[in-house]
Amino acid sequence: MSVDPNIGRLYRATFLFGIACGISIALSSLHLDALGFTKPQIGTLAAWFASGVVLMSLPAGSLIRRFSARNTLLAFMVGYAICVTGFPFLKSYAGIAAIRALDGACSVGIWVSSETILLSRAESGRKAHLTSLYAVWLSCGYIAGPIVAKLVTAFASMPAAFVLSGVISLVAFFYIFTRFADDGLGRELPPIPGSTEAPAQPLQILSRIKNSCFAIFCYGYFQASVVIFLPLYLIASKGIPRDRTIVLPALFCLGMLAASNAAGRLGDRIGHLLVMRLLAIVGTTMILGFVFLDSYLLMCLAVLTAGATLAAMSPVSLALQGIVTERKDYSRSNAIYNVFYAAGMLLGPPISSLLFGHYGGKAMLYHLAALWSGFIVFSMVFYADDPAAARAAQVSRT
């Protein structure tokens, strides 16, 4: 079965964007630390980024409906290039907070635009397969970015690496500009004279995609929390040397890369929500494993498996919301979907830090497991929201 060539072009542009993001992610905290910012200040600057994501998620959908997904993607790509290039040249907290918030706003604009293009062009029977490949290309960029950052800083300055990130973003911009024709994808057309069909309202869309929204909220909450606090827990409670925790994010990403496409294909075959529930069950078991495991190798295996399950759920949840939503409503649904992702990123670290500080690392892990358990129960209650479940029920009745 042939695939729309524009999807392949989107993948390549996404890979470039991932490299640019990977450079910035790898160096941002180091740059802020070198400027003399305290750890709490660095943490609140991360919250400014998440705030930008939250604030722009819904307006990004409106911009797509007004100007098309391709044009919106181009505008936000230029904005991101400006943000990442200007970041190392700002010194005040207020200036950096402002550019981090703008960075978050441009990032979510890129996500929503890209997802709208992808879901609109992917066939209904292959959405999870194609969204998983999108996640793989983006993750490969995230992995390549820190490697590029390390090479650049070895021979040049840290600001030079941020400038390179901006240049790579502009390369992605020009690639999209020259290879994507503006076919109006995502743009809202004027109503047909005499038509009584009204566009779906946000609450109607949320009702359809609630399983995907809950899943991506859990993932954003979990991802933002464990990146900060899992290494600290292993150091304090398990006696793992600090230098041995550095490999954990790479193992998490490796697990996601290894399993995302298989999870997507399985979701297209047997039902996306069922696969999401199975992934959540295994992933929750891995979270609880950190409480009881003492072997470093077994904990590394648990991180790898958590990446292969909880992280692999993200593209499957994106595919599910693309299936249960009308094509004309993709810009709205993707915007709402990313609001929940950003809300998880925003709420996870402060709540996890409070639990960690007052009750210890075990309590933090238990509450993350409880959150995913809540999703498992939720997905069982609303299992019929998955069209695959509805088809299975119809077959069993006949």
Side-chain angles (χ1 to χ4, degrees):
M1 185 182 296
S2 62
V3 176
D4 187 329
N6 285 297
I7 292 179
R9 293 170 187 143
L10 178 66
Y11 289 159
R12 289 186 280 276
T14 297
F15 175 66
L16 291 172
F17 173 65
I19 294 175
C21 289
I23 294 172
S24 176
I25 291 169
L27 298 179
S28 291
S29 61
L30 298 177
H31 174 70
L32 294 173
D33 185 64
L35 290 177
F37 288 100
T38 65
K39 298 299 186 294
Q41 286 177 318
I42 294 173
T44 56
L45 287 171
W48 277 104
F49 173 87
S51 299
V53 175
V54 172
L55 292 174
M56 184 51 70
S57 292
L58 292 178
S62 299
L63 290 172
I64 291 171
R65 294 191 297 276
R66 175 68 178 83
F67 298 106
S68 83
R70 181 256 195 186
N71 290 340
T72 304
L73 176 58
L74 288 172
F76 279 118
M77 194 69 77
V78 171
Y80 181 82
I82 293 171
C83 290
V84 76
T85 302
F87 172 75
F89 301 103
L90 297 174
K91 307 301 179 185
S92 69
Y93 180 91
I96 294 174
I99 206 166
R100 289 296 290 161
L102 186 57
D103 185 344
C106 291
S107 295
V108 76
I110 292 170
W111 300 340
V112 175
S113 302
S114 299
E115 290 164 4
T116 300
I117 293 171
L118 178 62
L119 290 177
S120 298
R121 294 184 178 278
E123 304 95 330
S124 60
R126 305 182 68 192
K127 284 194 188 296
H129 169 53
L130 295 174
T131 55
S132 67
L133 290 178
Y134 168 78
V136 167
W137 279 85
L138 183 60
S139 297
C140 286
Y142 282 157
I143 293 171
I147 297 172
V148 173
K150 186 175 180 63
L151 292 173
V152 173
T153 54
F155 297 100
S157 65
M158 195 175 294
F162 283 102
V163 171
L164 177 61
S165 175
V167 170
I168 293 172
S169 301
L170 289 178
V171 171
F173 164 85
F174 282 110
Y175 180 78
I176 296 165
F177 183 78
T178 57
R179 300 302 300 274
F180 274 72
D182 182 19
D183 55 4
L185 194 64
R187 186 181 292 139
E188 191 165 73
L189 299 176
I192 300 172
S195 173
T196 59
E197 183 180 1
Q201 297 302 306
L203 287 179
Q204 293 175 310
I205 295 174
L206 177 58
S207 177
R208 296 173 193 161
I209 67 173
K210 55 184 176 290
N211 280 291
S212 293
C213 289
F214 196 168
I216 203 64
F217 172 82
C218 292
Y219 179 61
Y221 190 108
F222 169 78
Q223 179 191 45
S225 298
V226 298
V227 165
I228 300 172
F229 297 111
L230 182 60
L232 299 178
Y233 166 73
L234 296 180
I235 293 167
S237 300
K238 301 295 184 177
I240 304 298
R242 184 178 299 273
D243 60 342
R244 299 186 78 183
T245 65
I246 296 174
V247 302
L248 298 181
L251 288 173
F252 187 83
C253 289
L254 181 61
M256 188 277 290
L257 288 173
S260 286
N261 191 245
R265 287 177 178 271
L266 189 62
D268 288 333
R269 183 181 295 257
I270 68 172
H272 302 89
L273 189 55
L274 174 59
V275 170
M276 289 161 61
R277 183 160 58 249
L278 295 174
L279 293 173
I281 291 170
V282 177
T284 303
T285 305
M286 293 302 103
I287 295 173
L288 294 173
F290 291 114
V291 176
F292 302 103
L293 296 174
D294 292 314
S295 166
Y296 174 72
L297 290 177
L298 288 178
M299 284 187 282
C300 286
L301 180 61
V303 170
L304 185 73
T305 306
T309 52
L310 301 178
M313 192 187 305
S314 175
V316 182
S317 68
L318 176 61
L320 175 61
Q321 69 100 354
I323 287 174
V324 300
T325 306
E326 295 289 336
R327 189 173 183 270
K328 61 184 175 61
D329 294 324
Y330 279 158
S331 61
R332 290 184 176 89
S333 65
N334 289 329
I336 295 169
Y337 177 80
N338 279 285
V339 166
F340 278 83
Y341 178 54
M345 293 173 61
L346 193 60
L347 294 175
I351 296 175
S352 296
S353 66
L354 287 174
L355 290 171
F356 200 140
H358 286 85
Y359 303 105
K362 288 184 179 180
M364 179 201 67
L365 291 171
Y366 283 137
H367 109 279
L368 292 174
L371 178 67
W372 281 111
S373 298
F375 166 73
I376 293 168
V377 173
F378 189 87
S379 70
M380 294 173 69
V381 172
F382 296 104
Y383 75 96
D385 285 5
D386 189 346
R391 289 195 298 270
Q394 185 176 7
V395 169
S396 64
R397 286 194 297 268
T398 57

